Amino acid sequence: MPELPEVETVRRSLLPLVGRRIEVVEVREPRLRLRIAADFAVRLRGRSIEAIERRGKYLLFRLDGGLTLLAHLGMSGALLVQPTRTGAVHDHVCLQLDDARFLVLNDPRRFGILKLGRGEDFRELRNVGPDPLSEQVTAERLYAATRRRKKPIKNLLMDQGLLAGIGNIYANEMLYVAGVRPTRPAGRLSRAEVQRLYEAMRAVLQDAIQLGGSSISDYRDGDGRTGYFQLTLKVYDRAGQPCDRCGTTVRRIVQAGRSSFYCRVCQR
DNA sequence: CGCACCCCCTGCCGGC
DNA sequence: TGCCGGCAGGGGGTGC
């Protein structure tokens, strides 16, 4: 489910939890992608949430005492704020807060991660590059990063060490907006094409955040709200349908084991 | 070293 | 109607 715009939307929806104290920690199912540590509940209980940050697709809950709760939603995870503890199916971890509400991780596929650590000291964050919307990432730097790379540009865009937060939906969409085929070897893109891609990347991600992300099947923010960006998708999951711009049938191919969608006329 | 492939897991959808 | 295969927003390990 969640790529940068969805994770950012979840982060913003959870910001009212800053200042809340975690009173009760219930781990109902520790077998996520990484098994939740045995001392998780003991370490987390009694902590206050001081800030909620995002690195790529990871959320970092800054707690008092220098502790950090790292969260990743995988493909199907949701962090939901609820007034009562429902104990719904796939509610794997339930945190009761001092305002009597609950923060629940629901994740049917269990590809998510919840992990405690200190500061930024997580091995998961070692390969997380700069945020594509930050000032660190410029068209010039993106161009430099593509040189001598034979990997298809779409796969490079999804490389979390290069740019953090771009997944399959948004990689497809920004390549469509930029008019670049997902299969193009990254190093073969011209300066002008990289410039277009850089601008498309920013526009697509900003627009998606504005619309609360994409709800393809069951994505929800912390308040259970859906996003609306899926209504504006131009190519993702539109195989066999006409291209918005020229009417040519959108194609689906598989790259690195994941579906790519493109218009062979509008994208070269 | 760079890259493609496979797998983790559950749910859903289309085809037979 | 029901079963089965294929596919799904992520990412890490393996092996070529």
Side-chain angles (χ1 to χ4, degrees):
Chain A
M1 162 233 315
E3 304 182 30
L4 187 156
E6 291 76 34
V7 178
E8 179 61 19
T9 301
V10 170
R11 188 186 75 83
R12 293 180 185 183
S13 75
L14 296 179
L15 284 178
L17 300 187
V18 169
R20 297 275 63 80
R21 187 169 173 272
I22 299 163
E23 306 252 289
V24 181
V25 178
E26 186 189 4
V27 178
R28 307 176 70 205
E29 173 54 87
R31 294 173 301 163
L32 305 185
R33 184 151 66 80
L34 295 175
R35 187 179 182 90
I36 292 178
D39 62 355
F40 179 84
V42 170
R43 291 178 74 193
L44 189 52
R45 186 185 315 134
R47 300 293 181 173
S48 293
I49 300 170
E50 295 184 338
I52 306 174
E53 300 166 12
R54 180 181 59 77
R55 301 267 189 286
K57 301 172 191 171
Y58 287 92
L59 286 172
L60 288 81
F61 293 79
R62 302 299 194 183
L63 310 171
D64 60 299
L67 206 62
T68 301
L69 172 62
L70 182 74
H72 192 289
L73 300 175
M75 295 271 267
S76 58
L79 280 171
L80 300 164
V81 180
Q82 298 179 335
T84 55
R85 183 192 165 291
T86 62
V89 64
H90 306 312
D91 277 359
H92 302 316
V93 175
C94 188
L95 309 182
Q96 185 175 354
L97 306 173
D98 61 357
D99 61 1
R101 289 192 297 174
F102 298 84
L103 176 59
V104 175
L105 174 72
N106 183 283
D107 185 3
R109 292 174 73 178
R110 290 193 272 124
F111 286 178
I113 292 174
L114 281 184
K115 189 177 181 181
L116 282 171
R118 307 213 64 88
E120 310 273 314
D121 191 22
F122 291 93
R123 60 185 298 278
E124 288 78 7
L125 297 180
R126 285 187 46 192
N127 190 39
V128 175
D131 192 288
L133 295 177
S134 76
E135 292 178 2
Q136 287 182 64
V137 178
T138 63
E140 202 50 44
R141 287 181 186 169
L142 187 57
Y143 181 74
T146 59
R147 294 307 91 182
R148 272 180 258 276
R149 300 298 296 271
K150 293 179 182 168
K151 191 192 250 202
I153 184 62
K154 186 210 169 204
N155 298 356
L156 197 66
L157 287 172
M158 292 173 66
D159 179 342
Q160 301 301 300
L162 178 67
L163 295 168
I166 299 172
N168 204 32
I169 294 177
Y170 295 103
N172 277 298
E173 291 299 302
M174 59 186 69
L175 284 163
Y176 174 81
V177 172
V180 174
R181 277 195 202 185
T183 50
R184 289 276 299 284
R188 297 259 182 76
L189 266 66
S190 69
R191 216 171 257 277
E193 286 172 326
V194 172
Q195 179 68 36
R196 291 210 309 270
L197 184 54
Y198 172 78
E199 286 163 14
M201 171 177 82
R202 298 181 63 88
V204 166
L205 294 175
Q206 281 166 352
D207 289 354
I209 291 170
Q210 201 71 30
L211 292 178
S214 302
S215 294
I216 297 298
S217 64
D218 54 4
Y219 158 75
R220 298 287 186 277
D221 74 7
D223 300 315
R225 286 190 289 255
T226 66
Y228 294 94
F229 193 73
Q230 71 280 5
L231 302 175
T232 76
L233 295 175
K234 304 291 189 193
V235 285
Y236 180 79
D237 208 20
R238 294 198 66 234
Q241 298 177 49
C243 166
D244 223 39
R245 197 186 304 165
C246 76
T248 303
T249 303
V250 173
R251 284 191 174 182
R252 172 184 179 271
I253 59 172
V254 175
Q255 290 181 277
R258 327 202 61 144
S259 291
S260 296
F261 305 89
Y262 69 98
C263 170
R264 63 188 172 80
V265 173
C266 295
Q267 293 171 262
R268 301 284 177 172

